[in-house]
């Protein structure tokens, strides 16, 4: 009789519909992304492959794969993540190590960040960022792992993220390692960590960051460009200036879809890192404001789902995965507006890129899954 009473409410909750606002915001951002990638990548596709639809076709494949993943994870019981969280983290760590081996990892722009098999590519650092959130969400949902209880528990939580960061830095991908640290730091704070402990860890990272900046001079140049891009507009400050030009050109209503000029060799990676600048130029501030509103809805509904979850595991997973989706978007917006130095962080749901888009959809599916069982 007790078992029936326990199972019945679970079955009843499982019939709930996923959170419509969260789902609608994610899909709308993806549609905007598809339209924007099609426009922003045409010139680059023709220049590199003599095919203006090269990146558009690939993005369609990424979208279809991502939507299938979203559907699967929306109806896949998220409680089963407990069994696969550790194997998934171990696998992501192994892949981060293998990608550094020249025979396996693909070299591009002086970094080994991808596995390439024919036309397909996979970025293990995105997988690792996703896997650590899932692992910590499951681990910290257990009462004996309360990060507020002691400094020892707090430091134990940081051990695995630091291992991942070291491997990502070796690629090198400094901005991704910072993104991982920021995401994990905020997540642990949400889980109840003391601010003093977080500040202590943050202070420990400062000399490491300074050392990495000294070792790789291009990072120092990025910081100088951020401080005053107009002192060297043709080199250090070029990217930020071109991004700001795109925003100014667009005004409120934009110059028209497909009519932008900053994507014609002026802005680097117009369909990935700087796609929001192209959107600002072609579609204007109004559409950019809509995008920001949609990300606000993602954050609001994601944390709402976390606060209403019937169990701690669902609450922590929803919180962590909401951060996984929103923080890269915040960093990307800050970069194209010149608020922080240039990084290689794509805009969630919108930028071209198979791995980042796939895991964004998987994270979305898990959050929707949790919302069905409130």
């Amino acid at each position: 009789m007790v078992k029936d009473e326990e199972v019945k409410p679970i079955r009843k909750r499982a019939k709930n519909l996923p959170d419509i606002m969260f789902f609608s915001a994610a899909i709308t951002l993806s549609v905007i992304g598809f339209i924007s990638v099609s426009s922003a990548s045409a010139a680059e596709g023709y220049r590199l492959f003599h095919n203006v639809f090269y990146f558009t076709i690939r993005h369609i494949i990424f979208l279809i794969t991502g939507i299938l993943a979203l559907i699967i994870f929306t109806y896949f019981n998220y409680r089963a993540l407990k069994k696969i969280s550790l194997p998934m983290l171990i696998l992501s760590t192994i892949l981060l190590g293998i990608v550094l081996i020249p025979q396996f990892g693909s070299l591009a722009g002086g970094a080994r960040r991808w596995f390439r098999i024919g036309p397909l590519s996979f970025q293990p650092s995105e997988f690792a960022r996703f896997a650590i959130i899932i692992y910590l969400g499951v681990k910290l949902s257990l009462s004996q792992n309360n990060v507020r209880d002691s400094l020892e528990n707090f430091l134990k939580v940081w051990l695995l993220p630091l291992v991942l960061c070291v491997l990502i830095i070796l690629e090198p991908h400094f901005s991704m390692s910072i993104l991982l640290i920021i995401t994990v730091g905020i997540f642990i704070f949400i889980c109840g960590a003391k601010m003093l402990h977080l500040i202590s860890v943050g202070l420990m990272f400062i000399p490491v960051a300074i050392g990495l900046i000294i070792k790789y001079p291009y990072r120092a140049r990025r910081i100088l460009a951020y401080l005053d891009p107009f002192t060297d507009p043709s080199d250090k400050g070029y990217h930020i200036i071109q991004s700001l030009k795109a925003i100014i050109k667009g005004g409120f209503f934009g110059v028209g879809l497909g009519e932008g000029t900053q994507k014609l060799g002026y802005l680097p990676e117009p369909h990935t890192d700087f796609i929001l600048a192209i959107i600002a130029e072609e579609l204007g501030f109004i559409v950019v404001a809509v995008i920001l509103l949609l990300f606000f809805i993602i954050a609001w509904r994601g944390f709402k789902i976390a606060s209403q979850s019937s169990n701690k595991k669902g609450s922590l997973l929803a919180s962590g995965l909401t951060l996984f989706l929103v923080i890269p978007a915040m960093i990307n917006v800050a970069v194209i507006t010149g608020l922080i130095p240039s990084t290689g962080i794509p805009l969630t749901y919108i930028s071209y890129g198979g791995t980042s888009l796939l895991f964004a959809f998987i994270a979305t599916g898990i959050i929707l899954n949790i919302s069905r069982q409130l």
Side-chain angles (χ1 to χ4, degrees), residues 341-361:
S342 179
T343 67
I345 303 300
L347 184 58
T348 312
Y349 296 118
I350 293 179
S351 291
Y352 171 86
T355 313
S356 59
L357 195 61
L358 173 63
F359 283 107
F361 275 121

Side-chain angles (χ1 to χ4, degrees), residues 62-78:
F62 298 153
L63 279 173
I64 292 172
T65 305
I67 289 172
L68 288 175
L70 184 150
I71 294 170
I72 291 169
F73 280 90
T74 298
Y75 294 94
F76 167 85
N77 191 341
Y78 74 89

